Amino acid sequence: MRTAATAKKEQLSPLYTVRGVVILDTATGERLAAKYSPWWQGAATVKDQIALERKLYVKTRPGKKGRSGAGSGGVEILMLEDTIVLHRAGTGVRVFVIGAQDENELLLLGVLNTIWDALLTALFPQPAAPGVFAGGALDRQL
């Protein structure tokens, strides 16, 4: 229920905001990590957060009729209640970035891509190429 105090609190929020970031397990839909904005009343309690995460998982699970799924690494945009949600799924995890209904999608996309790249770097580190500088063109110029 939205009260006058809640409305005033949401008006005082920064110009561009992310209401929440959620990372769920692809197979079970369980929360791996989540962070919600303290001034967003839509996820004020843990019960509200779990209900929102369940809705996100059910709405984006692959095999749902009429959905191709974002399993190929593409980004999907969803409207859920009074929020806009950008979603990306990969092997093992689904990442959701939640914003206000009138939020800038490019801002949310930048946040989603940054989190996705950070996860890829942390989970699948790339070995350094040993011969990039040794005996190459850069070595001859120095």
Side-chain angles (χ1 to χ4, degrees):
M1 184 169 157
R2 195 174 158 129
T3 64
T6 304
K8 183 169 181 151
K9 198 173 188 182
E10 287 182 354
Q11 286 177 348
L12 296 176
S13 65
L15 182 61
Y16 296 114
T17 60
V18 173
R19 289 186 173 182
V21 175
V22 179
I23 302 173
L24 300 178
D25 182 75
T26 302
T28 63
E30 292 182 25
R31 176 195 294 191
L32 299 176
K35 182 66 177 172
Y36 294 94
S37 173
W39 59 79
W40 181 39
Q41 296 301 312
T45 66
V46 175
K47 185 178 178 182
D48 293 338
Q49 293 173 6
I50 292 172
L52 174 68
E53 292 162 11
R54 178 58 46 195
K55 286 179 191 176
L56 289 171
Y57 178 72
V58 168
K59 192 162 185 156
T60 60
R61 70 176 184 253
K64 186 175 179 184
K65 189 174 181 180
R67 282 195 78 253
S68 61
S72 61
V75 176
E76 288 187 1
I77 299 176
L78 309 168
M79 295 297 292
L80 185 66
E81 298 170 0
D82 65 338
T83 61
I84 184 167
V85 180
L86 271 69
H87 160 253
R88 191 168 189 176
T91 305
V93 295
R94 294 171 192 255
V95 180
F96 300 90
V97 175
I98 306 165
Q101 193 171 15
D102 58 349
E103 190 60 73
N104 184 346
E105 293 88 0
L106 293 177
L107 168 86
L108 298 175
L109 180 62
V111 172
L112 177 63
N113 285 337
T114 301
I115 292 169
W116 188 260
D117 291 343
L119 281 173
L120 287 179
T121 302
L123 297 175
F124 307 107
Q126 298 293 324
V132 171
F133 295 110
L138 289 176
D139 209 19
R140 283 181 250 142
Q141 292 177 358
L142 298 175

